[in-house]
Amino acid sequence: MAKFSRIAIANRGEVAVRIIKACEEMGLETVLLHSEADINSRAFRMATKTICIGPAPTAESYLNIKANIDGALAGGAQAIHPGFGFLSENADFAEAVQKAGLTFIGPSAESIRSLGDKVHCKELAKRAGLPLVPGYQGENQTVAELIKQAEKIGYPVIVKAAAGGGGRGMKLIRDSADAAELIESAQREAQSAFGSPKVFLEKYLDRAKHIEFQVFGDSTGNVIHFFDRECSVQRRHQKIIEEATSPSLTDDLRRRMGEAACAIATLGKYKGAGTVEFLLQDGEFYLLEVNTRLQVEHPVTEEVLGVDLVKMQILTAEGNFVHDPKLIRSPRGHSIECRIYAENPYMGGVPSTGLLGRIEWPEGPGRRYEYGFSEGDTITSFYDPMIAKVIVWDESRSRAIQKMIRVLKDSIVFGVHTNIPYLIEILSHKEFVNGTMTTRFIETYFADALKEPELTESEKKMIESAMAELRGSPLASDPTTTSPWASFWRGV
Amino acid sequence: MKTQAQLIKGTLWIHLNGRTVAVDANQGRKSRKKGAGGSSDQINAPMPGKVTKILLKEGSVVQPGQAVLVMEAMKMEYTLKAEIAGEVESVSCSVGEQVVLGKTLVKIKPEAKT
């Protein structure tokens, strides 16, 4: 049984912060393996030790296996936590980490290969008798062959990166006219994001819900599940809002899907935290993929079950974690997570970069924030636009929605535009409130760009008075009233 | 919650109950970053990022809605399309180039009205 004293983190942003927090709680030191661009970040300031592993482009730093391992060794770590994204689902990395005499905090390279490769995973699932969405997973990757297969499946068809995750390298083909362009684009994205251009095709289910089960294999190989999440609110195949537990499952469905999730994870000899994703349509569920890593949305599961999945991952890697049947509990209340992206909701969601000013996440019971940047840090165009996650918990789903709207309205991010106004619109929509949304929710009800609301007269006055105060005009300094700009900060 | 504001590099950011407005501090107008709208006869970079593919050459005939070039930023691909019919007059970027927000990437000569 290993005992770690220092853990290297091969990741950045809010996930690196999340792992550092778990390590600190366990009395472990951390080594942050970071790129040149991430010197001004919260994780950089929090880690016990930091080692620069290369320049900003991800291929030269966060995706560079050798640089990460060399960094971890130089930093004196015994184990590497890959977080999510980057190398977290890369079997070669897991293998190289073990070869270097370090422990990979995650499943074995063998498990990642059999479950993480979406194509291989489907073959495994077929053997286990799990229902699958019709598709093409062949070796022939020429555009002509892929188009031929897409026609055979019947449009709409979705093209996905075989090594993918996080919604990247994924395109929806509605008809043959766009097929070539979209397939090529998916192959390019797959190559640049995952280092392999391999894609596969799947029939697009048009009224489906996205349901996933958090599975966890302990040190003895015993797999249980930590219930379900629903992630139906997606844009460009990227999740925006997640919740636990799903408002759409009956007891019977929950039991059957949970059993299926554990069955495939057991077949893949799974250790540590993983997720089995399903599509649910008309009361039937289909296996979508298995994510052999921790997920962005893991906090909603932690909130309804009162567990710490990162701590459990580290204990499992030490060979020290066994599920305690007495402690396995039922979900309590409801939790929602919103991903905050640096993008302009009024301009079709184009990324927004810049120097961050004031950031404020309003505290209160049942509120949790995961973020990687603070005031004075810069959001660059090199990485993912997700800058923070806001998570709430409350006794019921409707209360959790209400709380989330309040929290978002009170959160302040200056310096970059964010999707907060977009999230508030979504949370207020009747389909979301009723829990009847499908993966097509956004394309059905929301245009690509949110319409920018007109400023009200009082809002215009507020802006004018802020401008006046900025210029030191007498207009702003009415001695009889308290200035509304009591907390007005004078620039950076 | 009280309204709050902060000046960052010439832009005044104001928080209004869940909405954040950015105002150009010198002009007092809402900060519409260049290139966001742009005029219809040129395609400007809507964000800082990398040009990954140029689909049309100078002199090519272009239709409204036709994809002209592909950019990548924050790990996502964005296809930039022509707004008007015409001919590609000039391409002022190259594949692999890192461009700044608002840079003019392609100019289109509008189709002559007949």
Side-chain angles (χ1 to χ4, degrees):
Chain A
M1 208 179 281
K3 184 82 190 95
F4 307 141
S5 61
R6 189 181 279 183
I7 289 175
I9 298 160
N11 217 299
R12 62 181 299 283
E14 54 88 22
V15 55
V17 169
R18 170 73 186 86
I19 298 162
I20 292 170
K21 282 193 213 162
C23 288
E24 282 179 347
E25 227 177 85
M26 298 171 77
L28 302 173
E29 292 183 334
T30 50
V31 185
L32 182 74
L33 309 172
H34 65 91
S35 81
E36 284 166 9
D38 277 329
I39 288 170
N40 295 312
S41 72
R42 211 172 153 229
F44 183 90
R45 292 187 291 274
M46 285 173 72
T48 319
K49 202 174 160 79
T50 56
I51 290 184
C52 183
I53 54 163
T58 51
E60 294 164 49
S61 49
Y62 293 108
L63 291 174
N64 182 337
I65 290 178
K66 189 175 182 302
N68 276 285
I69 291 174
D70 290 348
L73 289 170
Q78 299 89 37
I80 299 184
H81 196 308
F84 35 82
F86 296 128
L87 295 169
S88 61
E89 290 175 287
N90 186 316
D92 295 339
F93 181 58
E95 212 162 64
V97 169
Q98 302 290 358
K99 273 204 188 113
L102 299 162
T103 303
F104 180 75
I105 301 178
S108 66
E110 186 199 357
S111 283
I112 299 176
R113 284 209 179 91
S114 72
L115 293 172
D117 183 292
K118 296 184 187 187
V119 174
H120 196 273
C121 173
K122 293 199 168 179
E123 283 159 16
L124 204 66
K126 233 182 256 170
R127 269 190 276 146
L130 261 64
L132 292 168
V133 185
Y136 169 75
Q137 297 133 31
E139 287 301 319
N140 190 335
Q141 292 283 307
T142 59
V143 175
E145 175 66 18
L146 289 166
I147 292 177
K148 204 177 100 195
Q149 292 293 338
E151 311 266 320
K152 213 161 89 186
I153 297 164
Y155 296 111
V157 160
I158 197 157
V159 48
K160 298 182 180 179
R168 284 177 228 147
M170 221 185 259
K171 304 277 166 181
L172 177 63
I173 312 172
R174 298 213 160 276
D175 53 62
S176 50
D178 309 326
E181 189 196 324
L182 292 169
I183 289 169
E184 280 173 30
S185 169
Q187 287 174 332
R188 266 199 312 278
E189 272 193 40
Q191 176 66 49
S192 101
F194 311 107
S196 155
K198 194 175 175 191
V199 295
F200 66 97
L201 305 172
E202 223 165 54
K203 173 92 187 143
Y204 184 59
L205 298 177
D206 58 355
R207 298 183 307 282
K209 280 178 162 283
H210 184 115
I211 314 282
E212 59 190 32
F213 275 74
Q214 174 72 56
V215 293
F216 203 100
D218 69 13
S219 303
T220 67
N222 178 25
V223 178
I224 66 163
H225 73 76
F226 284 92
F227 291 88
D228 48 289
R229 299 187 279 259
E230 176 161 343
C231 315
S232 296
V233 182
Q234 305 187 357
R235 192 184 50 171
R236 300 185 197 121
H237 316 297
Q238 211 155 20
K239 298 164 188 171
I240 308 180
I241 300 179
E242 297 106 348
E243 51 188 314
T245 52
S246 161
S248 316
L249 296 188
T250 59
D251 289 347
D252 179 53
L253 264 175
R254 182 165 277 131
R255 184 184 52 77
R256 281 162 52 211
M257 290 170 84
E259 280 168 8
C262 289
I264 188 151
T266 306
L267 214 59
K269 298 194 181 70
Y270 204 81
K271 273 190 190 175
T275 302
V276 182
E277 301 197 333
F278 297 99
L279 286 176
L280 174 71
Q281 183 166 314
D282 305 325
E284 298 290 332
F285 63 89
Y286 308 89
L287 177 76
L288 191 59
E289 63 185 57
V290 178
N291 289 151
T292 57
R293 55 170 164 87
L294 192 70
Q295 280 195 307
V296 180
E297 56 271 33
H298 76 275
V300 291
T301 294
E302 296 186 327
E303 292 302 310
V304 292
L305 289 172
V307 294
D308 183 334
L309 291 167
V310 178
K311 207 189 263 187
M312 280 163 51
Q313 282 187 305
I314 295 171
L315 291 171
T316 304
E318 283 185 329
N320 219 355
F321 182 77
V322 179
H323 291 305
D324 183 350
K326 288 198 293 294
L327 280 180
I328 293 166
R329 59 203 96 182
S330 313
R332 177 180 154 265
H334 196 85
S335 181
I336 303 176
E337 171 180 296
C338 286
R339 301 187 187 195
I340 311 296
Y341 288 112
E343 61 180 36
N344 192 330
Y346 305 120
M347 278 169 33
V350 295
S352 180
T353 55
L355 173 68
L356 289 178
R358 183 167 201 179
I359 308 280
E360 204 167 283
W361 306 114
E363 295 297 338
R367 299 169 174 201
R368 170 173 167 185
Y369 304 100
E370 303 278 334
Y371 56 99
F373 295 96
S374 323
E375 172 157 3
D377 295 338
T378 304
I379 303 297
T380 72
S381 63
F382 293 109
Y383 309 113
D384 198 275
M386 192 180 79
I387 53 167
K389 300 185 308 209
V390 173
I391 302 112
V392 301
W393 180 91
D394 216 315
E395 286 151 29
S396 66
R397 186 172 187 270
S398 62
R399 283 195 186 191
I401 295 173
Q402 214 175 10
K403 180 179 281 183
M404 181 61 92
I405 292 173
R406 189 67 249 160
V407 165
L408 291 176
K409 283 186 172 174
D410 290 345
S411 296
I412 297 173
V413 178
F414 285 156
V416 295
H417 290 281
T418 71
N419 62 335
I420 286 177
Y422 201 86
L423 290 165
I424 294 171
E425 291 282 318
I426 292 169
L427 291 160
S428 313
H429 194 280
K430 141 173 142 279
E431 289 266 3
F432 185 82
V433 171
N434 294 338
T436 50
M437 65 288 177
T438 70
T439 49
R440 289 186 66 189
F441 173 66
I442 288 189
E443 69 178 279
T444 310
Y445 297 106
F446 292 86
D448 218 20
L450 201 62
K451 196 177 170 315
E452 188 162 8
E454 288 291 316
L455 290 167
T456 63
E457 282 312 308
S458 75
E459 284 170 344
K460 277 186 198 154
K461 279 213 184 80
M462 279 184 199
I463 293 173
E464 272 165 32
S465 91
M467 290 293 292
E469 180 143 340
L470 187 67
R471 297 199 177 101
S473 145
L475 249 178
S477 45
D478 180 347
T480 60
T481 56
T482 319
S483 164
W485 306 102
S487 50
F488 178 77
W489 287 22
R490 203 91 198 173
V492 258
Chain B
M1 184 189 263
K2 243 185 228 157
T3 304
Q4 309 218 10
Q6 185 183 20
L7 181 67
I8 304 167
K9 287 184 168 174
T11 300
L12 183 67
W13 293 79
I14 301 163
H15 181 259
L16 301 157
N17 196 30
R19 183 173 172 204
T20 301
V21 184
V23 186
D24 187 319
N26 297 313
Q27 299 178 9
R29 262 186 273 126
K30 262 212 307 226
S31 170
R32 283 237 167 258
K33 287 192 177 157
K34 266 185 299 174
S39 58
S40 58
D41 61 350
Q42 59 186 46
I43 297 175
N44 297 343
M47 63 212 170
K50 197 166 85 180
V51 176
T52 52
K53 200 171 183 184
I54 299 171
L55 302 162
L56 295 175
K57 282 200 286 277
E58 276 173 31
S60 305
V61 175
V62 58
Q63 297 302 323
Q66 190 177 346
V68 178
L69 82 167
V70 181
M71 276 185 75
E72 189 191 280
M74 291 173 154
K75 302 282 118 196
M76 297 279 282
E77 262 200 19
Y78 293 83
T79 302
L80 307 184
K81 293 177 175 164
E83 283 180 34
I84 54 165
E87 191 181 287
V88 175
E89 192 182 318
S90 61
V91 176
S92 44
C93 59
S94 53
V95 170
E97 188 182 336
Q98 198 78 33
V99 297
V100 297
L101 172 79
K103 179 184 156 70
T104 301
L105 304 172
V106 171
K107 275 196 175 135
I108 295 167
K109 191 160 84 190
E111 198 168 58
K113 293 223 170 67
T114 47

